[in-house]
Amino acid sequence: MNSIITAQDLCLWYGQSQALKNINIQIPERSITALIGPSGCGKSTFLKTLNRMNDLINGVRITGTVEYNGTDIFSQDVNQLRKEVGMVFQKPNPFPMSIYDNVAYGPRTHGIRNKAQLDEIVERSLRDAAIWDEVKDRLKKNALGLSGGQQQRLCIARALAVQPKVLLMDEPTSALDPISTLKIEELATNLKETYTIVIVTHNMQQALRISDRTAFFLLGELVEYGDTEQIFSQPADKRTEDYVTGRFG
Amino acid sequence: MKKSSKLFEGFVHGIFLVLGLVTIACVLIITVYLVASGIPGIVEIGLTDFLFGDEWASTAAEPKYGILPFILTSIYGTLGAIIIGVPIGVLTAVYLAKIAPSSVKNVMGQMVSILAGIPSVVYGLVGMMVLVPGLRKLFDIPDGASLLAAIIVLAVMILPSIIKMSVTALEAVPQEYEDASLALGATAEETYFRVSLPAAKSGVAASVVLGVGRAIGEAMAVMMVAGNAPNMPDSLFQSVRFLTTAVASEMSYSSGLQRQALFSIALVLFVFIMLINALLNFFLKGEKKE
Ligand SMILES: Nc1ncnc2c1ncn2[C@@H]1O[C@H](COP(=O)(O)OP(=O)(O)O)[C@@H](O)[C@H]1O
Ligand SMILES: [Mg+2]
């Protein structure tokens, strides 16, 4: 498989404290890569580096390279990069607007004005995010009226509407009930036909259920990265073993 | 010990209750007084002649008490101030809340506070000495004291409250909304105008209503720059008189029906302010619901 994202010797500092240490990783296209590890070990930081959301934080310094599709992400247009590398946040964060306007926000931002075309994108995105049937009769209603699980799927639909290639998900189910969690996991599994998914999760079972590759982070380092089954059954590193068997973290 | 502390608590409670009642009593007394002293004039003149009469000649041999010129002047003056002041105020608020570096923000925030604290007679004075002659030269008119001068002064006067309330509303917009927009590839500016501002809309709307309230109730500054002749406001360059200044300028020497009519004008002004307050409550409630 081709790798769509490649990081080399990636280091990141928040002011004086180093949050990422020499990360080297190749993320394959159309697959699910899970990032696991204890809290504060740099998973979110790494994820936010990939769509340059860290740019917004004062005092962040980055060395090393990250390539998306063979080009350096730091020398390309950040808005174009974020259009192709979408993000779903830990806490569902729909805009305080109608369901329709939420999904149409991205396409409108990128210049699509035609009503019929927008209608089509909205429907397709909501279908892809497996929420169309639940909201098709209330597209004009405020999105904040949806349940947490529905809001998160709406956020996925909103991200899909700009037709990204990569979807970054930061613990997308940590605020959700088990049934909503299951729906999102199913959804992620279906989406990997078309998209590359990088997902941070605290839930070992979730990583095992849905991901193809798993990366184990510890204290800002990438300790081990490989096929999910192998990471969970025969980890090469003692620290990985301790973590996945629940002996710490 | 227990008993005495309870007694003390009751005592403190009582004091606060009395203080609260004082405020309520003031509002009630003012309302009752205004209605009682405003109604006779309206009855005597006739409601339609009073509200829609287009001539005010209170000291003529055959006096006329039509206040339509004042009502329209107050409405036009306020609208004009809003049309100029709101875009400037809201854009400034976006800049201060979202874009400005913290040093600029601090300095400008202080300036806005100072602007809010300047007494209206000073606004009037500066308007009179600088703005009025400036307009006279600029537009080549006989006298710069006009509706336009009043609009400009009012626009500046309502800026601080619009800016401050809008900044507060914009700063309260959760960062997550803006992150979501940026992560979709929107630029920072697109995010401010298409996500932050709409999310802050009830606070911004409330700030506008507050501005309207301040503009419509302002007397001193407009008296000094508007020319104060009771004309119909058919042009921006007309010398005009507002509802507030109509009361203020004749009260000291008025008597009889003229005096009653002035109270009636005050009553009309009061009704306007009440309506604006109701509108403000409506917007603030809307904000809570969201
Ligand atoms: N905005 C920030 N400013 C300073 N330090 C931060 C910031 N965000 C995260 N960190 C620090 O970076 C480290 C990694 O954090 P994070 O990437 O959020 O970990 P994880 O997602 O694995 O829990 C932590 O020590 C955290 O305190
Ligand atoms: Mg995290």
Coordinates of all heavy atoms in Angstrom, one line a residue, chain B residues 171-207:
Chain B
E171 N -16.2 37.1 22.6 CA -15.2 36.3 23.4 C -15.8 35.1 24.0 O -15.2 34.1 24.3 CB -14.6 37.2 24.4 CG -13.5 38.1 23.9 CD -12.9 39.0 24.9 OE1 -13.5 39.2 26.0 OE2 -11.8 39.6 24.6
A172 N -17.2 35.1 24.2 CA -17.8 34.0 24.8 C -18.1 32.8 23.8 O -18.5 31.8 24.2 CB -19.2 34.4 25.4
V173 N -17.8 33.1 22.5 CA -18.0 32.0 21.5 C -17.0 30.9 21.8 O -15.8 31.2 21.8 CB -17.9 32.6 20.1 CG1 -17.9 31.4 19.1 CG2 -18.9 33.6 19.8
P174 N -17.5 29.7 22.0 CA -16.6 28.6 22.3 C -15.5 28.4 21.2 O -15.8 28.4 20.0 CB -17.5 27.4 22.4 CG -18.8 27.9 22.6 CD -18.9 29.2 21.9
Q175 N -14.3 28.2 21.6 CA -13.2 28.0 20.7 C -13.4 26.8 19.8 O -13.0 26.8 18.6 CB -11.9 27.7 21.6 CG -10.6 27.4 20.8 CD -10.1 28.7 20.1 OE1 -10.2 29.7 20.6 NE2 -9.6 28.5 18.9
E176 N -14.2 25.8 20.3 CA -14.4 24.6 19.5 C -15.1 24.9 18.1 O -14.8 24.3 17.1 CB -15.4 23.6 20.2 CG -14.8 23.0 21.4 CD -15.3 23.6 22.7 OE1 -16.4 23.4 23.1 OE2 -14.4 24.4 23.3
Y177 N -16.0 25.9 18.1 CA -16.7 26.3 16.9 C -15.6 26.8 15.9 O -15.7 26.5 14.7 CB -17.7 27.4 17.1 CG -18.9 27.1 18.0 CD1 -19.6 28.0 18.6 CD2 -19.2 25.7 18.2 CE1 -20.7 27.7 19.4 CE2 -20.3 25.4 19.0 CZ -21.1 26.4 19.5 OH -22.2 26.1 20.3
E178 N -14.7 27.7 16.4 CA -13.8 28.2 15.5 C -12.8 27.2 15.0 O -12.4 27.1 13.8 CB -13.0 29.4 16.2 CG -14.0 30.6 16.3 CD -13.5 31.6 17.4 OE1 -12.4 31.5 17.9 OE2 -14.4 32.5 17.7
D179 N -12.4 26.3 15.9 CA -11.5 25.2 15.5 C -12.2 24.3 14.4 O -11.5 24.0 13.4 CB -11.2 24.3 16.7 CG -10.2 24.9 17.7 OD1 -9.6 25.9 17.3 OD2 -10.0 24.4 18.8
A180 N -13.4 24.1 14.6 CA -14.1 23.2 13.6 C -14.1 23.9 12.2 O -13.8 23.3 11.2 CB -15.6 23.0 14.0
S181 N -14.3 25.2 12.2 CA -14.3 26.0 10.9 C -12.9 26.0 10.3 O -12.8 25.7 9.1 CB -14.8 27.4 11.2 OG -14.5 28.2 10.1
L182 N -11.9 26.2 11.1 CA -10.5 26.2 10.6 C -10.1 24.9 10.1 O -9.5 24.8 9.0 CB -9.5 26.7 11.7 CG -9.7 28.1 12.2 CD1 -8.9 28.3 13.5 CD2 -9.3 29.1 11.1
A183 N -10.5 23.8 10.8 CA -10.2 22.5 10.4 C -10.9 22.1 9.1 O -10.5 21.1 8.4 CB -10.6 21.5 11.5
L184 N -11.9 22.8 8.7 CA -12.5 22.6 7.4 C -11.8 23.3 6.2 O -12.2 23.3 5.1 CB -14.0 23.0 7.4 CG -14.9 22.0 8.2 CD1 -16.2 22.7 8.5 CD2 -15.1 20.7 7.4
G185 N -10.8 24.1 6.6 CA -10.1 24.8 5.6 C -10.5 26.3 5.4 O -10.1 26.9 4.5
A186 N -11.4 26.7 6.3 CA -11.8 28.1 6.2 C -10.6 29.0 6.8 O -9.9 28.6 7.7 CB -13.0 28.4 7.1
T187 N -10.5 30.2 6.2 CA -9.5 31.1 6.7 C -10.0 31.7 8.1 O -11.1 31.6 8.4 CB -9.2 32.3 5.8 OG1 -10.4 33.1 5.7 CG2 -8.8 31.8 4.4
A188 N -9.0 32.3 8.8 CA -9.4 32.9 10.1 C -10.5 34.0 9.9 O -11.5 34.0 10.6 CB -8.2 33.6 10.7
E189 N -10.4 34.8 8.8 CA -11.4 35.9 8.6 C -12.8 35.3 8.3 O -13.8 35.7 8.8 CB -11.0 36.8 7.5 CG -9.9 37.7 7.9 CD -8.5 37.0 8.0 OE1 -8.4 36.0 7.3 OE2 -7.6 37.5 8.7
E190 N -12.8 34.2 7.4 CA -14.0 33.6 7.1 C -14.7 33.0 8.4 O -15.9 33.1 8.6 CB -13.8 32.4 6.2 CG -13.6 32.9 4.7 CD -13.0 31.7 3.8 OE1 -12.5 30.7 4.4 OE2 -13.1 31.9 2.6
T191 N -13.8 32.5 9.3 CA -14.3 31.9 10.5 C -14.9 33.0 11.4 O -16.0 32.8 11.9 CB -13.1 31.2 11.3 OG1 -12.6 30.2 10.4 CG2 -13.6 30.6 12.6
Y192 N -14.3 34.1 11.5 CA -14.9 35.2 12.4 C -16.2 35.6 11.9 O -17.1 35.8 12.6 CB -13.9 36.4 12.5 CG -12.5 36.0 13.0 CD1 -11.4 36.7 12.5 CD2 -12.4 35.0 13.9 CE1 -10.1 36.3 12.9 CE2 -11.1 34.7 14.4 CZ -10.0 35.3 13.9 OH -8.8 35.0 14.3
F193 N -16.3 35.8 10.6 CA -17.6 36.4 10.0 C -18.7 35.4 9.8 O -19.8 35.7 9.9 CB -17.3 37.2 8.8 CG -16.6 38.5 9.0 CD1 -15.3 38.6 8.8 CD2 -17.3 39.5 9.6 CE1 -14.6 39.8 9.1 CE2 -16.7 40.7 9.9 CZ -15.3 40.9 9.7
R194 N -18.3 34.1 9.6 CA -19.3 33.1 9.3 C -19.7 32.2 10.4 O -20.7 31.6 10.4 CB -18.9 32.3 8.0 CG -18.8 33.3 6.8 CD -18.6 32.6 5.5 NE -19.6 31.5 5.4 CZ -19.4 30.3 4.9 NH1 -18.2 30.1 4.4 NH2 -20.3 29.5 4.8
V195 N -18.8 32.2 11.4 CA -19.1 31.3 12.6 C -19.2 32.1 13.9 O -20.2 32.1 14.6 CB -18.0 30.2 12.7 CG1 -18.2 29.4 14.1 CG2 -18.1 29.2 11.6
S196 N -18.1 32.9 14.2 CA -18.1 33.6 15.5 C -19.2 34.7 15.6 O -19.9 34.7 16.5 CB -16.7 34.3 15.6 OG -15.7 33.4 15.3
L197 N -19.3 35.5 14.5 CA -20.3 36.6 14.6 C -21.7 36.0 14.7 O -22.5 36.4 15.6 CB -20.2 37.5 13.4 CG -19.6 38.9 13.6 CD1 -19.7 39.7 12.4 CD2 -20.2 39.6 14.8
P198 N -22.1 35.0 13.8 CA -23.4 34.4 13.9 C -23.7 33.8 15.3 O -24.8 33.9 15.9 CB -23.5 33.4 12.8 CG -22.5 33.8 11.8 CD -21.4 34.5 12.6
A199 N -22.6 33.2 15.9 CA -22.8 32.5 17.2 C -23.0 33.6 18.3 O -23.6 33.3 19.3 CB -21.6 31.7 17.5
A200 N -22.5 34.8 18.0 CA -22.6 35.9 19.0 C -23.8 36.8 18.7 O -23.9 37.9 19.3 CB -21.3 36.7 19.1
K201 N -24.7 36.4 17.8 CA -25.6 37.4 17.3 C -26.6 38.0 18.3 O -26.9 39.1 18.2 CB -26.4 36.8 16.1 CG -27.3 35.7 16.4 CD -28.1 35.3 15.1 CE -29.1 34.2 15.4 NZ -28.5 32.9 15.6
S202 N -27.0 37.2 19.3 CA -27.9 37.8 20.2 C -27.3 38.9 21.1 O -27.9 39.9 21.4 CB -28.7 36.8 21.1 OG -27.9 35.6 21.3
G203 N -26.0 38.6 21.4 CA -25.3 39.6 22.2 C -25.0 40.9 21.4 O -25.2 42.0 21.9
V204 N -24.7 40.7 20.1 CA -24.5 41.8 19.2 C -25.8 42.6 19.0 O -25.8 43.8 19.1 CB -23.9 41.4 17.9 CG1 -23.8 42.5 16.9 CG2 -22.5 40.8 18.1
A205 N -26.9 41.9 18.8 CA -28.2 42.5 18.7 C -28.5 43.3 19.9 O -29.0 44.5 19.8 CB -29.3 41.5 18.4
A206 N -28.3 42.7 21.1 CA -28.6 43.4 22.3 C -27.7 44.7 22.4 O -28.2 45.8 22.9 CB -28.3 42.5 23.5
S207 N -26.5 44.7 21.9 CA -25.7 45.9 22.0 C -26.2 47.0 21.1 O -26.2 48.1 21.4 CB -24.2 45.5 21.6 OG -24.1 45.5 20.2

